[in-house]
Amino acid sequence: MTVKIVPRAKLHEVLALLKSRGIFLTDDGIKHLEKRLEEEPISKTTLDKSKKFLKNPIMKNVIDRAFVRRSQRIQRIIDSNPLLQLINERKRNVREEKPPLNLPMPDFLRKAFHDEIRWQPFFPFMYIPPAGQIIKIVETANPDLPYIAFLVPENGINYLYSTRRKIDIEKIPNAKYYRLKDGVFQYEIDEIKNLEKGYYDFIMMYHK
């Protein structure tokens, strides 16, 4: 009897499915998920069925309602437990002390970001990238949501810093990368340096 080999779903494919539901994992959460997928693999067939399941309008509505009911159940547990109330209150105070950043990108950076003529393909896996290389990222699963980041080699790992997170570039789902085109004249070189510094400063405001 021939053994049927079932292809496994890859980590970035599972992350893309979670992202489509508005679920974003921390770096530790991604590591835990990766470990669980090694221990309990998910077949690509199962993943594809899940995608079709989530696209069904009726099931999307059911799942959204389930999330609401789950949140309500958790809130009832918190309301009945003084210790959990204290922890929840402390979290609320911390959020109020340091509100999440939602800063608009400066206008000159935004215009350059959306000007496709300024960007050329970049291949980070072809060589060791320079520290602080500014790149634009377009994930295959979300082509309409490109974002800016800079790439830094740290202890043998190429990390991406964006306004959302710091992550090993190998953990990013399938994506295309772009960098600013090289300038020919001095004024073009100076403008590119100014843009790169602007993007770097903007991103680092989220990592202080």
Side-chain angles (χ1 to χ4, degrees), residues 26 30 32 40-41 45 47-49 66 92 109 140 158 166:
T26 62
I30 292 173
H32 182 70
E40 302 175 33
T45 302
L47 188 69
D48 290 339
K49 287 180 180 178
R92 189 180 298 113
L109 296 178
T140 304
N158 291 327
K166 170 189 175 184

mmCIF file of all heavy atoms in Angstrom, residues 26 30 32 40-41 45 47-49 66 92 109 140 158 166:
data_model
loop_
_atom_site.group_PDB
_atom_site.id
_atom_site.type_symbol
_atom_site.label_atom_id
_atom_site.label_comp_id
_atom_site.label_asym_id
_atom_site.label_seq_id
_atom_site.Cartn_x
_atom_site.Cartn_y
_atom_site.Cartn_z
ATOM 1 N N THR A 26 2.719 38.167 18.852
ATOM 2 C CA THR A 26 4.004 38.719 19.240
ATOM 3 C C THR A 26 5.101 37.761 18.768
ATOM 4 O O THR A 26 4.817 36.644 18.319
ATOM 5 C CB THR A 26 4.094 38.869 20.765
ATOM 6 O OG1 THR A 26 3.982 37.555 21.357
ATOM 7 C CG2 THR A 26 2.979 39.754 21.300
ATOM 8 N N ILE A 30 4.693 33.789 17.981
ATOM 9 C CA ILE A 30 5.082 33.150 16.716
ATOM 10 C C ILE A 30 5.971 31.941 16.987
ATOM 11 O O ILE A 30 5.819 30.881 16.371
ATOM 12 C CB ILE A 30 5.795 34.160 15.800
ATOM 13 C CG1 ILE A 30 4.795 35.223 15.326
ATOM 14 C CG2 ILE A 30 6.409 33.461 14.591
ATOM 15 C CD1 ILE A 30 5.424 36.365 14.564
ATOM 16 N N HIS A 32 6.016 30.129 19.707
ATOM 17 C CA HIS A 32 5.178 29.076 20.304
ATOM 18 C C HIS A 32 4.353 28.376 19.221
ATOM 19 O O HIS A 32 4.237 27.136 19.223
ATOM 20 C CB HIS A 32 4.252 29.688 21.352
ATOM 21 C CG HIS A 32 3.382 28.685 22.050
ATOM 22 N ND1 HIS A 32 3.888 27.757 22.939
ATOM 23 C CD2 HIS A 32 2.048 28.439 21.962
ATOM 24 C CE1 HIS A 32 2.897 26.992 23.376
ATOM 25 N NE2 HIS A 32 1.779 27.390 22.795
ATOM 26 N N GLU A 40 2.331 19.251 16.161
ATOM 27 C CA GLU A 40 1.022 18.864 15.627
ATOM 28 C C GLU A 40 0.814 19.548 14.269
ATOM 29 O O GLU A 40 0.149 20.583 14.193
ATOM 30 C CB GLU A 40 -0.088 19.267 16.603
ATOM 31 C CG GLU A 40 0.062 18.656 18.000
ATOM 32 C CD GLU A 40 -0.976 19.186 18.951
ATOM 33 O OE1 GLU A 40 -2.104 19.480 18.507
ATOM 34 O OE2 GLU A 40 -0.672 19.324 20.135
ATOM 35 N N PRO A 41 1.402 18.997 13.206
ATOM 36 C CA PRO A 41 1.320 19.630 11.880
ATOM 37 C C PRO A 41 -0.123 19.781 11.388
ATOM 38 O O PRO A 41 -1.003 18.980 11.708
ATOM 39 C CB PRO A 41 2.105 18.676 10.976
ATOM 40 C CG PRO A 41 2.948 17.861 11.904
ATOM 41 C CD PRO A 41 2.170 17.739 13.178
ATOM 42 N N THR A 45 -4.341 20.991 3.038
ATOM 43 C CA THR A 45 -5.760 20.796 2.704
ATOM 44 C C THR A 45 -6.645 21.377 3.796
ATOM 45 O O THR A 45 -7.637 22.063 3.516
ATOM 46 C CB THR A 45 -6.062 19.295 2.543
ATOM 47 O OG1 THR A 45 -5.214 18.743 1.534
ATOM 48 C CG2 THR A 45 -7.520 19.080 2.145
ATOM 49 N N LEU A 47 -5.828 23.716 5.919
ATOM 50 C CA LEU A 47 -5.687 25.173 5.913
ATOM 51 C C LEU A 47 -6.534 25.794 4.805
ATOM 52 O O LEU A 47 -7.205 26.805 5.018
ATOM 53 C CB LEU A 47 -4.219 25.556 5.742
ATOM 54 C CG LEU A 47 -3.894 27.048 5.900
ATOM 55 C CD1 LEU A 47 -4.071 27.483 7.353
ATOM 56 C CD2 LEU A 47 -2.477 27.345 5.447
ATOM 57 N N ASP A 48 -6.513 25.176 3.617
ATOM 58 C CA ASP A 48 -7.294 25.697 2.494
ATOM 59 C C ASP A 48 -8.793 25.641 2.796
ATOM 60 O O ASP A 48 -9.542 26.556 2.441
ATOM 61 C CB ASP A 48 -6.996 24.900 1.220
ATOM 62 C CG ASP A 48 -5.586 25.161 0.692
ATOM 63 O OD1 ASP A 48 -5.022 26.208 1.046
ATOM 64 O OD2 ASP A 48 -5.061 24.308 -0.054
ATOM 65 N N LYS A 49 -9.208 24.564 3.465
ATOM 66 C CA LYS A 49 -10.624 24.458 3.849
ATOM 67 C C LYS A 49 -10.988 25.551 4.844
ATOM 68 O O LYS A 49 -12.083 26.115 4.789
ATOM 69 C CB LYS A 49 -10.899 23.078 4.450
ATOM 70 C CG LYS A 49 -10.923 21.948 3.429
ATOM 71 C CD LYS A 49 -11.208 20.611 4.099
ATOM 72 C CE LYS A 49 -11.243 19.477 3.080
ATOM 73 N NZ LYS A 49 -11.480 18.156 3.726
ATOM 74 N N ALA A 66 -19.138 34.827 17.859
ATOM 75 C CA ALA A 66 -18.499 33.943 18.845
ATOM 76 C C ALA A 66 -17.403 34.693 19.598
ATOM 77 O O ALA A 66 -17.251 34.546 20.815
ATOM 78 C CB ALA A 66 -17.921 32.712 18.154
ATOM 79 N N ARG A 92 -4.974 49.069 32.486
ATOM 80 C CA ARG A 92 -5.648 50.250 31.965
ATOM 81 C C ARG A 92 -4.866 51.514 32.291
ATOM 82 O O ARG A 92 -4.720 52.415 31.461
ATOM 83 C CB ARG A 92 -7.062 50.341 32.553
ATOM 84 C CG ARG A 92 -7.917 51.430 31.905
ATOM 85 C CD ARG A 92 -9.312 51.501 32.503
ATOM 86 N NE ARG A 92 -10.038 50.260 32.300
ATOM 87 C CZ ARG A 92 -10.395 49.441 33.285
ATOM 88 N NH1 ARG A 92 -10.087 49.720 34.533
ATOM 89 N NH2 ARG A 92 -11.064 48.340 33.015
ATOM 90 N N LEU A 109 7.604 62.002 3.281
ATOM 91 C CA LEU A 109 7.873 60.567 3.315
ATOM 92 C C LEU A 109 6.735 59.784 2.670
ATOM 93 O O LEU A 109 6.959 58.817 1.938
ATOM 94 C CB LEU A 109 8.064 60.097 4.752
ATOM 95 C CG LEU A 109 9.268 60.658 5.514
ATOM 96 C CD1 LEU A 109 9.272 60.124 6.947
ATOM 97 C CD2 LEU A 109 10.572 60.300 4.819
ATOM 98 N N THR A 140 2.585 39.207 -0.138
ATOM 99 C CA THR A 140 1.752 38.611 -1.182
ATOM 100 C C THR A 140 0.294 38.502 -0.742
ATOM 101 O O THR A 140 -0.621 38.722 -1.538
ATOM 102 C CB THR A 140 2.286 37.206 -1.552
ATOM 103 O OG1 THR A 140 3.662 37.322 -1.945
ATOM 104 C CG2 THR A 140 1.492 36.610 -2.702
ATOM 105 N N ASN A 158 18.816 38.626 10.482
ATOM 106 C CA ASN A 158 18.396 39.868 9.844
ATOM 107 C C ASN A 158 17.015 40.263 10.368
ATOM 108 O O ASN A 158 16.011 39.621 10.052
ATOM 109 C CB ASN A 158 18.352 39.708 8.319
ATOM 110 C CG ASN A 158 19.739 39.567 7.726
ATOM 111 O OD1 ASN A 158 20.695 40.152 8.225
ATOM 112 N ND2 ASN A 158 19.853 38.794 6.661
ATOM 113 N N LYS A 166 9.248 44.246 15.604
ATOM 114 C CA LYS A 166 10.597 43.839 15.228
ATOM 115 C C LYS A 166 10.527 42.334 15.018
ATOM 116 O O LYS A 166 10.053 41.603 15.889
ATOM 117 C CB LYS A 166 11.592 44.173 16.343
ATOM 118 C CG LYS A 166 12.977 43.569 16.129
ATOM 119 C CD LYS A 166 13.853 43.742 17.381
ATOM 120 C CE LYS A 166 15.187 43.040 17.199
ATOM 121 N NZ LYS A 166 16.032 43.117 18.432
#
